[in-house]
Amino acid sequence: MSGRLIIRGGRVVTPGGVRRTDIEVSGERVAGFDPRGSRDGEVIDARGCYVLPGGIDSHTHLLGDVASGTRSAAFGGTTTALCFTNPRPGESAPNALIRGRREVEGRAVIDVDLHAIIGEPGRISTADLEHLKRLGVRAIKLFLAFPEQGLMATDGCLYEVLHASVRHGFLVKVHCENGGVIAALVADHLARRRKGPAYFAYSRPPDVEDEAIGRTLAIAHLAHAPVYLTHMTTAGGIERVRAARANGQMAYSEVCIHHLLLDASLYRGRRASRFLVAPPLRSRENVEALWSAVADGTVDTIASDHSQMRYQPPLTNDFTGLPYGFAGIELRLPLLLSEGMRRGLSIRRIAQLSATRPAQVFGLYPRKGAILAGSDADLVVWDPRPRWEVKASALHDGIGASPYSGMTLQGSIRYVFLRGRLVVDDGELVGSSLSGRCLIPAA
Ligand SMILES: [Zn+2]
């Protein structure tokens, strides 16, 4: 679409506030605003709707099926996914990134930036980190859990990577759960013949997360490095972030949509195995503490941790062999809008959490994350009026199951634009072309 496009009559959510104005789009960019609605061009009618910056999902796992995951994202108003690499055994982090970039190119419906998982933390070298930087990586991820998958970094490794990140200018994302204690709790449950699915969650209690968050903050402080805490779920973790910030530390906080919408009571039901995720769903008290932190600015980003495929551990006859992880990229923004507005969050705050802060934290702002003259015209036209019920079969991820099945949502997405191009029009994907780009530049 090369001519001038006018998004007419919507309430436009900008960093400065909500404005009733037309938006002019020229080529891939927002050209400007026209409050009087007088300019000509191809017109999209947004009367009665809000126009939001295209969603940026700061935590996704799409590799393996980029086409389905990004198509699903587009239907949910997410126009940029920050996606983790998936290094194979023995594959270096830079090589996994190069392979991921090849997989994204030509298959993505939305824009995708790749963040590098350090899959074998004991083997990461200075040369690998330098290579990642040359490849244009903006963030890398370490795990303090999953020793059984070889992913768990030692405290020394965490310190060294954080220390190096300052020099290289990338941000370190940390999965904070104490993997050693989890392994001991798992062994303890199994020794007592507690094999049911709920024990997956009960082996990962809030204390193992709080401890790992506290430790990560202390190590980041020692390394003089900013740090990004992925999928926080506990009141104790939130308190530790507030204390670190009060102490002058740069600590970024991510919460996932499932930890805001679902709670641990689901583990008491017969369908517990459908709700397994790491970290697990938490008690109501923790969920409400997360919402307070979302409202008061402690939380920076709300992500999906979308798994295009549930992680499949080796089969066993107890909870350690059960698949876990959720698909959530399509419903992240609609759920946040519906539940956030019901709870009294401003739509401006919702735009910050879903787009602006992810772009700022991960170096994509102001090209992405806000509706500003000169920004990419990644736009979502959201109608607050319709009510609808989630049906897993109507989602576009091809998975056929959703932890949100049966929920009623307020508001639905009418149009989605990626860099000025209409990609979703009233529930239909427009055109056949895959217009998404990999934001990691080609070598
Ligand atoms: Zn994840």
Side-chain angles (χ1 to χ4, degrees):
M1 208 178 294
S2 55
R4 194 203 301 270
L5 175 72
I6 310 287
I7 317 283
R8 177 146 288 166
R11 282 169 281 178
V12 180
V13 185
T14 72
V18 180
R19 305 167 60 185
R20 197 177 288 272
T21 178
D22 287 7
I23 303 171
E24 286 183 48
V25 174
S26 178
E28 297 199 336
R29 304 291 176 104
V30 172
F33 301 97
D34 175 23
R36 295 196 327 218
S38 57
R39 313 253 169 98
D40 288 335
E42 184 190 345
V43 170
I44 294 284
D45 183 5
R47 285 173 301 172
C49 297
Y50 287 96
V51 187
L52 292 137
I56 301 179
D57 194 333
S58 55
H59 188 151
T60 69
H61 304 268
L62 305 174
L63 297 181
D65 191 355
V66 169
S68 300
T70 58
R71 182 178 64 226
S72 178
F75 278 100
T78 285
T79 50
T80 304
L82 312 184
C83 171
F84 287 113
T85 58
N86 59 348
R88 294 171 177 151
E91 186 180 38
S92 75
N95 284 342
L97 186 94
I98 292 163
R99 183 168 56 78
R101 185 175 63 201
R102 256 187 252 121
E103 195 185 325
V104 167
E105 284 165 354
R107 289 194 182 85
V109 176
I110 63 164
D111 287 351
V112 176
D113 198 13
L114 290 171
H115 290 173
I117 277 182
I118 306 302
E120 292 174 358
R123 289 184 45 203
I124 188 78
S125 66
T126 308
D128 282 344
L129 293 174
E130 281 167 2
H131 191 183
L132 286 173
K133 185 60 199 170
R134 283 200 307 280
L135 288 166
V137 166
R138 295 176 179 86
I140 63 176
K141 183 178 187 188
L142 283 175
F143 296 84
L144 299 183
F146 308 115
E148 71 286 1
Q149 296 177 52
L151 285 169
M152 190 166 81
T154 63
D155 296 345
C157 173
L158 177 59
Y159 173 85
E160 284 170 8
V161 170
L162 280 163
H163 192 66
S165 75
V166 178
R167 185 159 25 95
H168 295 305
F170 44 57
L171 187 57
V172 181
K173 301 168 95 167
V174 186
H175 177 120
C176 292
E177 290 186 295
N178 183 319
V181 174
I182 291 167
L185 293 174
V186 166
D188 196 37
H189 286 309
L190 293 178
R192 292 159 189 252
R193 305 194 147 280
R194 295 167 175 164
K195 295 184 174 182
Y199 289 98
F200 172 94
Y202 303 155
S203 301
R204 321 180 83 91
D207 278 335
V208 304
E209 182 174 334
D210 294 351
E211 185 279 330
I213 287 170
R215 179 161 37 110
T216 297
L217 288 167
I219 293 170
H221 190 242
L222 288 165
H224 305 289
V227 67
Y228 182 95
L229 306 165
T230 61
H231 46 49
M232 294 184 64
T233 70
T234 64
I238 293 292
E239 281 314 312
R240 284 162 175 80
V241 168
R242 288 187 181 128
R245 286 186 186 163
N247 198 23
Q249 245 185 291
M250 281 234 283
Y252 300 106
S253 160
E254 174 189 275
V255 168
C256 289
I257 193 72
H258 44 272
H259 292 121
L260 292 168
L261 270 290
L262 307 170
D263 69 48
S265 65
L266 292 160
Y267 297 133
R268 294 198 294 271
R270 289 169 41 145
R271 303 187 310 154
S273 64
R274 297 190 198 183
F275 297 98
L276 302 187
V277 64
L281 305 177
R282 298 298 189 198
S283 68
R284 261 294 122 197
E285 291 78 3
N286 283 300
V287 172
E288 294 305 322
L290 294 183
W291 277 109
S292 299
V294 163
D296 74 12
T298 306
V299 171
D300 290 286
T301 64
I302 294 181
S304 69
D305 198 359
H306 178 93
S307 294
Q308 188 54 38
M309 278 155 273
R310 295 193 107 194
Y311 174 69
Q312 301 277 351
L315 270 186
T316 61
N317 65 353
D318 56 53
F319 65 84
T320 63
L322 295 173
Y324 58 90
F326 296 148
I329 201 168
E330 182 165 345
L331 290 174
R332 179 191 69 117
L333 184 57
L335 284 166
L336 180 60
L337 282 160
S338 177
E339 183 64 8
M341 299 281 268
R342 190 184 74 77
R343 285 173 173 264
L345 285 188
S346 71
I347 196 153
R348 204 171 141 206
R349 177 78 185 123
I350 290 171
Q352 285 173 351
L353 292 156
S354 60
T356 312
R357 288 300 290 149
Q360 289 170 334
V361 170
F362 292 106
L364 300 173
Y365 190 86
R367 181 175 152 205
K368 301 282 189 193
I371 306 176
L372 294 168
S375 295
D376 281 1
D378 298 341
L379 305 167
V380 176
V381 178
W382 179 72
D383 185 342
R385 294 162 292 192
R387 277 176 79 77
W388 57 284
E389 188 184 312
V390 175
K391 292 192 177 67
S393 60
L395 297 173
H396 301 84
D397 50 36
I399 289 172
S402 168
Y404 308 108
S405 274
M407 277 192 186
T408 300
L409 269 63
Q410 182 74 44
S412 76
I413 288 170
R414 297 263 302 272
Y415 305 105
V416 180
F417 295 87
L418 173 70
R419 286 182 276 99
R421 179 198 287 258
L422 184 65
V423 286
V424 172
D425 178 351
D426 263 330
E428 298 291 334
L429 201 61
V430 177
S432 57
S433 67
L434 300 168
S435 45
R437 286 187 192 145
C438 188
L439 300 180
I440 297 281

